[in-house]
Amino acid sequence: MELKPLLIENARLLGGDTGCLLISDGRIAARDPADVPADAERADAKGQWLAPGIIDLGVFATDKPAFHFGGVTRAALMPDGGHPLDHPGMVERAAKGGKPDLWVHPLAAATKGLAGRELAEIGLMKASGARAVATGRARIADAGVMRRVLVYAASLGLTVIAHAEDEGLTTGAVATDGEMATRLGLASAPAIAEAMAVARDLMLVRETGAALHFRQITTAAALDLIREAKAAGLPVTCGITPAHLFLSDTAIGDFRTFARLSPPLRSEDDRHACLAAIADGTIDVLASGHDPRGPEDKRLPFAEALPGMAGAETLLAMGLQLVRDGHLTPARLFDLLAANPARLLGLDAGTLAEGMDADLILIDEGTPWQVDAKKMAAWAGNTPFDGMPMQGRATAVWKGGQRIR
Amino acid sequence: MTSATIRPASDYPPGGDAFRHRHLTGIAQLTPWEISYILDAAEQWVELNRGGAAKHDDALAGLTIINAFFENSTRTLLSFEIAGKRLGADVVNMHAAQSSVKKGETLIDTAMTLNAMRADAIVIRHQSSGAVQLIADKVDCPVLNAGDGRHEHPTQALLDALTIRRRKGRVEGLTIAICGDVLHSRVARSNILALTLLGNEVRVVAPPTLIPPAMERMHVRVFTDMDEGLDGADVVMMLRLQNERMDGAYLPSPREYHALYGLTPQRLANAKADAIVMHPGPMNRGVEIDSSVADDAERSTITEQVEMGVAVRMACLDILTRRTRKVPGWN
């Protein structure tokens, strides 16, 4: 079907100045165009924000209703949402899992079965659509294997997305060391488990020059290491989810399993360090970590429940809260949500620049709403933000210039 | 001595206001006066239990109490069973080994099943911290925590407080050393909460590998040297050390543990001359405690703790079922 050109008018581009955007052939044609084709359709944004669709880096399920609600147009799928994505055929199937109204970018398993021992067929998986390589929910324990994964992926031009927890310290732990874990009688691990993992991998990056992205960095010590590494020019980036920016380990009080996350929620001091790092640019990516889990995984004693949260629906509103709280400008929020993930995955998307895929969202940044775990669009309502007031939501979503919501 | 420690009823709020909780899931939810209310109530059951052949009361006649033990236990289960029966209740024991839990039924489904059987109180022990609270949120009757993971074991702390109060005449202003595997111990957590709340100086004495993180945030002093930790103590509370902790992961060997942390007569000499020695049982004689100390009737309260356990559990069952029984003032 041939799409007519579309002009979105009266929109605050990236939450800034009011302007309009012309879309044709599924791509962004021009910003504030001088000439508008006669047959162009027009859409009045009525002063709402117009932004690139969110590129959610590192989700565990292709959960379209949640992504559409949250303004996510592209989801980078972790290799261990289900059976490990360690085979070209599986990658190809996962990449098609979003058609026609969601881009799914599979992340190739770094090792066979994600067992951390043998290299997976990264090159063939790239040919099948993998956009980056990931270690999954855990890091690769063996430094030698990790080093080989880094150089191999780098030779194919792929970034490795790593988890940062030292398994020697964290095995069996379900919380971060501290008063809360001790009072609840939960097995816990020291927060430095994260910095130790980061330190090892930064050494490998320093030696190999390979690009590395830590999917979630949540502690002051690890952020300091990454800040130094970036200053030294290493090709390293990191991300975070809103949970670690808005919640500390007090949220696990009363054994709330919806607040059981991986990595676990940290101390209030670490939370503030994360806010500082998102403000000073140390953190590059804000993602949902979307991992919907039903009662069979969550309505259990805390230590037996599985970690993870359904985050796609709250990601945008929490990001807007960071703007309102003065930690980010609107433009930088969309760098964290779209431009930086796009660069990492090598996509022609994620900004409002000419020639980019017209994956766009309109945002009513003022609308108040309340999170209700029982009425989520996601297929499970495991959110630690249950009951919290939110502000702002996506009101329209385009993928490749086609309105999908 | 005993009667002097019981506060008159007029010291407490009237009726149900004296103990406002539907469940007993932990000491963390209790106020100091609620603890002393239970201890006072337990005294009458101590008297009854010592009263000769007819150790029986009909207060809970017609009520059904289910002891749901998902983790093996002999003493605590027996203690709760005797407590329920002495109050005239119909007591049923459910062992996880015999139940559908082994067949993969979830804890919530098990709880709903117990609830549908219309129990008037459910006593639960479970190997996972927070499991008892999870069940308490789902059932209509009072739930008593008989131990959940490393989290809490409130009736043990209450019976320990009662034992101390009867031996020392008070359970405030004392120096109490809790010694051993604090990291994995729900007994330690509940005792730390109860004894600090009642106004005692609580010390934790343990190898550094068995001290929980941020321990001092629970208002205790932490010692890794046993002699220093016992110095001037009124009460020495030993914890059981599970054998599997001594296989090298947390401790090198039982004999090294005994050498550094075993309670010997020489070590006990650091404590006050009239210090008492407590142990929740079962003991590892020759590892955490020497037989000569455990069997010293002057110092050891170990059998008395077992006795107080029945009385305290009778008091808890009585108090928590008063609303069901429509006791005047409890609604």
Side-chain angles (χ1 to χ4, degrees):
Chain A
M1 191 187 78
E2 188 75 3
L3 271 175
K4 283 184 184 176
L6 171 69
L7 184 73
I8 303 173
E9 301 174 289
N10 193 20
R12 293 183 60 198
L13 303 179
L14 296 177
D17 296 334
T18 300
C20 54
L21 203 66
L22 181 66
I23 297 156
S24 69
D25 297 332
R27 291 182 179 271
I28 295 170
R31 195 166 162 161
D32 296 322
D35 300 310
V36 178
D39 63 339
E41 289 183 15
R42 287 167 184 261
D44 185 355
K46 295 174 182 165
Q48 295 183 85
W49 293 14
L50 182 63
I54 294 171
I55 301 172
D56 198 349
L57 185 61
V59 303
F60 292 91
T62 304
D63 186 2
K64 281 193 199 176
F67 294 138
H68 287 162
F69 180 100
V72 175
T73 52
R74 293 173 186 259
L77 184 66
M78 287 292 282
D80 47 359
H83 190 281
L85 295 178
D86 62 352
H87 185 275
M90 301 186 65
V91 167
E92 193 173 337
R93 203 178 64 169
K96 288 177 180 162
K99 288 189 173 177
D101 49 1
L102 176 75
W103 289 103
V104 174
H105 301 298
L107 303 174
T111 56
K112 286 178 186 155
L114 284 172
R117 287 190 289 274
E118 303 159 83
L119 292 181
E121 292 171 325
I122 296 171
L124 294 178
M125 287 191 279
K126 181 187 177 188
S128 298
R131 287 283 180 173
V133 175
T135 67
R137 296 177 189 272
R139 75 161 182 171
I140 293 173
D142 185 315
V145 175
M146 183 62 178
R147 185 177 175 280
R148 291 192 285 275
V149 165
L150 280 168
V151 293
Y152 196 82
S155 74
L156 294 164
L158 298 177
T159 299
V160 175
I161 299 175
H163 183 82
E165 280 187 293
D166 182 296
E167 60 291 324
L169 288 171
T170 57
T171 297
V174 298
T176 306
D177 276 3
E179 181 180 357
M180 186 54 70
T182 290
R183 285 184 182 270
L184 293 176
L186 295 173
S188 59
I192 56 150
E194 183 173 280
M196 286 176 59
V198 167
R200 183 199 78 173
D201 287 352
L202 288 178
M203 282 297 168
L204 294 173
V205 169
R206 193 183 296 271
E207 195 234 2
T208 62
L212 178 65
H213 174 76
F214 294 105
R215 192 169 65 88
Q216 297 181 85
I217 294 298
T218 59
T219 61
L223 287 164
D224 286 345
L225 291 174
I226 289 170
R227 199 175 280 120
E228 283 172 29
K230 286 182 155 193
L234 298 188
V236 61
T237 52
C238 69
I240 195 167
T241 74
H244 287 91
L245 293 166
F246 288 93
L247 301 173
S248 64
D249 63 356
T250 53
I252 67 171
D254 293 333
F255 300 100
R256 279 188 287 267
T257 56
F258 284 4
R260 174 147 191 234
L261 305 175
S262 171
L265 289 170
R266 307 299 193 183
S267 69
E268 192 63 8
D269 286 348
D270 278 330
R271 184 177 82 85
H272 283 286
C274 291
L275 286 171
I278 208 152
D280 72 13
T282 304
I283 294 174
D284 306 275
V285 173
L286 185 64
S288 73
H290 192 64
D291 194 7
R293 292 199 180 272
E296 67 280 5
D297 290 335
K298 283 294 191 181
R299 230 164 59 169
L300 294 169
F302 193 89
E304 295 167 28
L306 294 178
M309 66 171 281
E313 287 160 83
T314 46
L315 175 61
L316 177 61
M318 291 314 237
L320 292 167
Q321 189 60 43
L322 292 170
V323 173
R324 280 190 292 272
D325 290 346
H327 301 295
L328 293 174
T329 61
R332 193 156 131 73
L333 171 64
F334 298 112
D335 284 347
L336 289 159
L337 289 174
N340 293 347
R343 190 173 310 124
L344 202 147
L345 297 169
L347 301 169
D348 286 334
T351 72
L352 300 184
E354 280 174 32
M356 291 288 163
D357 279 347
D359 301 337
L360 299 165
I361 54 175
L362 272 186
I363 300 165
D364 179 348
E365 96 286 1
T367 307
W369 57 288
Q370 190 173 21
V371 183
D372 184 346
K374 293 187 179 67
K375 294 178 187 167
M376 304 265 284
W379 73 258
N382 52 311
T383 170
F385 300 128
D386 189 22
M388 272 176 65
M390 298 274 150
Q391 208 179 337
R393 70 202 305 174
T395 55
V397 181
W398 289 269
K399 171 180 177 274
Q402 190 148 20
R403 178 90 183 251
I404 56 171
R405 211 193 98 212
Chain B
M1 179 168 79
T2 300
S3 59
T5 62
I6 301 181
R7 294 163 69 173
S10 58
D11 270 18
Y12 296 105
D17 286 345
F19 192 87
R20 297 185 183 195
H21 309 276
R22 205 160 76 87
H23 307 294
L24 179 66
T25 52
I27 299 293
Q29 286 78 28
L30 304 183
T31 60
W33 75 82
E34 284 169 338
I35 292 174
S36 77
Y37 185 76
I38 296 174
L39 301 188
D40 289 354
E43 293 282 4
Q44 62 172 305
W45 305 120
V46 177
E47 299 305 315
L48 178 90
N49 292 340
R50 288 180 175 179
K55 297 185 270 293
H56 196 79
D57 189 283
D58 285 328
L60 270 58
L63 268 58
T64 304
I65 297 171
I66 300 178
N67 292 323
F69 277 55
F70 297 86
E71 186 184 73
N72 285 334
S73 160
T74 309
R75 312 161 151 253
T76 307
L77 177 58
L78 200 56
S79 182
F80 268 107
E81 184 173 359
I82 291 171
K85 285 183 170 165
R86 286 202 180 147
L87 290 170
D90 300 317
V91 181
V92 186
N93 296 331
M94 190 200 87
H95 301 274
Q98 304 161 0
S99 76
S100 48
V101 175
K102 282 266 165 77
K103 298 171 196 157
E105 186 179 64
T106 70
L107 187 57
I108 296 281
D109 289 337
T110 308
M112 299 313 288
T113 304
L114 297 178
N115 195 46
M117 290 176 183
R118 303 228 167 223
D120 296 292
I122 303 177
V123 179
I124 299 165
R125 166 166 289 191
H126 197 280
Q127 62 279 2
S128 201
S129 300
V132 175
Q133 182 66 53
L134 191 67
I135 296 175
D137 292 342
K138 295 288 168 200
V139 300
D140 301 318
C141 68
V143 167
L144 284 84
N145 183 356
D148 64 325
R150 316 173 175 184
H151 177 226
E152 283 236 40
H153 190 356
T155 57
Q156 178 72 42
L158 292 167
L159 76 88
D160 286 338
L162 183 61
T163 304
I164 295 169
R165 195 171 84 165
R166 290 175 66 96
R167 277 287 185 111
K168 291 285 171 191
R170 63 194 160 98
V171 58
E172 60 183 57
L174 300 174
T175 298
I176 300 167
I178 300 177
C179 311
D181 184 0
V182 181
L183 179 64
H184 299 99
S185 176
R186 55 194 171 217
V187 174
R189 280 177 182 70
S190 285
N191 262 307
I192 288 167
L193 289 168
L195 295 169
T196 53
L197 200 60
L198 294 171
N200 300 282
E201 182 197 314
V202 177
R203 300 174 182 173
V204 158
V205 187
T209 50
L210 294 174
I211 295 172
M215 184 79 266
E216 65 288 351
R217 295 294 297 270
M218 291 186 77
H219 312 292
V220 297
R221 292 177 65 194
V222 177
F223 294 83
T224 51
D225 182 293
M226 186 84 167
D227 291 333
E228 281 178 31
L230 295 190
D231 186 40
D234 296 290
V235 176
V236 180
M237 186 180 285
M238 303 303 295
L239 298 171
R240 174 175 166 74
L241 187 69
Q242 305 279 345
N243 285 325
E244 62 264 28
R245 311 290 181 218
M246 293 181 283
D247 61 5
Y250 292 91
L251 296 167
S253 67
R255 67 179 188 177
E256 174 147 329
Y257 185 72
H258 180 259
L260 295 179
Y261 294 96
L263 189 63
T264 59
Q266 297 76 17
R267 258 202 190 107
L268 184 57
N270 289 290
K272 283 193 182 147
D274 62 348
I276 58 170
V277 175
M278 310 180 76
H279 194 298
M283 286 181 282
N284 289 314
R285 287 171 181 268
V287 181
E288 74 254 13
I289 190 165
D290 277 14
S291 285
S292 60
V293 176
D295 298 335
D296 180 350
E298 287 289 302
R299 317 290 296 269
S300 168
T301 65
I302 293 164
T303 53
E304 199 175 331
Q305 285 169 271
V306 177
E307 184 190 3
M308 293 307 124
V310 176
V312 155
R313 285 162 185 137
M314 290 171 79
C316 293
L317 288 170
D318 167 30
I319 290 169
L320 287 169
T321 57
R322 284 182 192 169
R323 285 179 181 85
T324 316
R325 292 184 285 126
K326 298 188 166 47
V327 172
W330 293 71
N331 45 38

